[in-house]
Amino acid sequence: MKKDIRIGTRGSKLALWQAHHVADRLKAAGLAPEIVIITTKGDIVLDRSLDKIGSKGVFTEELEDGLRTGHIDIAVHSAKDVQSTIPDDLELLAFMEREKVNDVVLSFDADLDLNRPDLVLGTSSTRRRAMLRRFMPHATAADVRGNLQTRLRKLEEGQFHGLVLAYAGVHRMEYDGLIRHVLPETRYVPATGQGSVAVECARNLEPALKAELHRLLDHPATHVCLRAERAYLRTMEGGCSIPSFALATLSPDGQTVQLHAGLISLDGAQLLEETQTAAVADAAQLGHTIAESILARGGREILEEIRSGK
């Protein structure tokens, strides 16, 4: 089994944090990782919102091309950025232990009042904009693209009163001191995979190496939860442009998994959600079952309206 492992990643500070997190694990096991920076479409096209540039592989496609050519051995992604369906020649090798899943509001205003009538909050997420329209109808949900540092600069310039972001990225970049509000995950249910780092490889990667990387990097409890969440997303045929959400949690004894998932219309007026529990072995089926239920209860019509641009 070879020891030198080429790790593909985007070049943002957060993406590099994730890649170095993986590299540190591999170094500790005696492997020799090398980080390879690859630019994706999502890094280049910053003048349009994610739902306008396409939902599939906007942050992953170029990394996946690197896996196919052997330019890199593994690709590291934020799990929430990974498209719902993986190409047949690739596979998700590991999901690393999940960070706190909540969305948070960052601001330079230590006393930011979320009830102020002129509140402007910046976000690049279709899901977050829809939830803000429902739960904070007095606020303006403004689109903001770019890496975390770019968004913070825009915040400091006064373009927004606050930014709505995933806690995981904020914490990993050590901006905890700017967190003014932690949004409850029971209401602001996160995106599929939020808080976890996903590791992808080519299906034909050397079997012994694949097994060793899985052993070193995968967090079994997180993997079970993401099996349920990703099965939900896959059945919904969702991506970055679809305001769906899913959060799975394991029971204390690790025998069952609960999934809270749903879909919200872009204007926030329609909210469909459901919670069910199943045995861990049935995690993927649980995600599929809830997605089918949401679609049957009006989800198909919401998705059709979104995709038609009405």
Side-chain angles (χ1 to χ4, degrees):
M1 187 182 75
K2 72 172 190 167
K3 298 289 185 182
D4 56 311
I5 309 297
R6 290 169 62 84
I7 302 172
T9 178
R10 295 166 59 206
S12 72
K13 287 186 178 180
L14 180 55
L16 288 169
W17 182 97
Q18 295 174 162
H20 282 290
H21 183 53
V22 170
D24 289 346
R25 289 279 187 91
L26 301 185
K27 283 178 188 174
L31 299 176
E34 176 191 350
I35 291 174
V36 179
I37 296 175
I38 296 174
T39 301
T40 69
K41 183 196 294 185
D43 299 308
I44 297 170
V45 183
L46 297 176
D47 60 345
R48 283 174 280 164
S49 60
L50 291 176
D51 54 329
K52 297 294 190 297
I53 61 175
S55 61
K56 292 189 176 180
V58 69
F59 291 119
T60 60
E61 186 175 355
E62 290 79 4
L63 289 161
E64 291 182 333
D65 288 343
L67 292 172
R68 292 188 177 97
T69 62
H71 180 55
I72 55 175
D73 298 299
I74 57 175
V76 176
H77 314 287
S78 291
K80 67 182 178 61
D81 290 337
V82 180
Q83 63 268 36
S84 56
T85 302
I86 300 299
D88 291 341
D89 58 339
L90 305 174
E91 65 179 285
L92 291 172
L93 176 68
F95 292 109
M96 301 185 76
E97 185 171 7
R98 197 174 214 167
E99 183 54 85
K100 183 174 175 178
V101 300
N102 300 70
D103 286 339
V104 294
V105 180
L106 269 65
S107 180
F108 289 102
D109 178 359
D111 301 311
L112 180 66
D113 180 4
L114 294 183
N115 293 313
R116 61 182 292 171
D118 61 341
L119 183 67
V120 180
L121 295 174
T123 176
S124 66
S125 163
T126 306
R127 171 189 61 85
R128 291 184 184 122
R129 287 200 300 274
M131 287 184 167
L132 289 171
R133 287 169 185 141
R134 183 175 185 87
F135 299 121
M136 294 188 205
H138 59 284
T140 298
D143 186 64
V144 55
R145 292 289 315 284
N147 61 36
L148 179 54
Q149 289 71 30
T150 298
R151 297 183 200 195
L152 286 171
R153 176 178 53 76
K154 293 178 179 180
L155 177 65
E156 195 167 20
E157 290 170 353
Q159 295 186 31
F160 321 99
H161 296 111
L163 294 172
V164 186
L165 299 161
Y167 170 83
V170 172
H171 177 63
R172 289 163 180 163
M173 292 290 94
E174 301 181 354
Y175 288 113
D176 302 63
L178 292 177
I179 296 175
R180 306 306 180 204
H181 300 277
V182 178
L183 302 178
E185 75 278 10
T186 50
R187 170 171 281 191
Y188 296 87
V189 186
T192 292
Q194 184 160 305
S196 177
V197 174
V199 181
E200 188 178 18
C201 70
R203 197 169 286 279
N204 63 1
L205 185 67
E206 181 187 347
L209 177 58
K210 192 187 298 186
E212 180 67 357
L213 293 173
H214 176 80
R215 184 185 70 81
L216 293 171
L217 301 173
D218 192 59
H219 186 251
T222 300
H223 203 132
V224 168
C225 291
L226 265 67
R227 276 215 319 271
E229 293 174 22
R230 287 186 55 77
Y232 172 81
L233 187 68
R234 188 162 52 250
T235 304
M236 296 293 288
E237 296 184 357
C240 298
S241 64
I242 302 301
S244 65
F245 51 86
L247 178 61
T249 52
L250 280 184
S251 60
D253 63 6
Q255 299 301 303
T256 60
V257 58
Q258 177 180 281
L259 179 62
H260 179 189
L263 179 69
I264 184 169
S265 60
L266 293 180
D267 61 4
Q270 300 176 75
L271 175 65
L272 302 173
E273 55 188 334
E274 197 163 315
T275 302
Q276 291 188 34
T277 301
V280 162
D282 298 323
Q285 182 58 46
L286 174 65
H288 175 74
T289 298
I290 293 183
E292 288 289 2
S293 176
I294 294 292
L295 289 170
R297 288 169 47 206
R300 283 191 178 87
E301 288 74 17
I302 292 175
L303 290 178
E304 286 172 8
E305 186 172 311
I306 290 171
R307 287 165 177 153
S308 68
K310 294 180 182 177

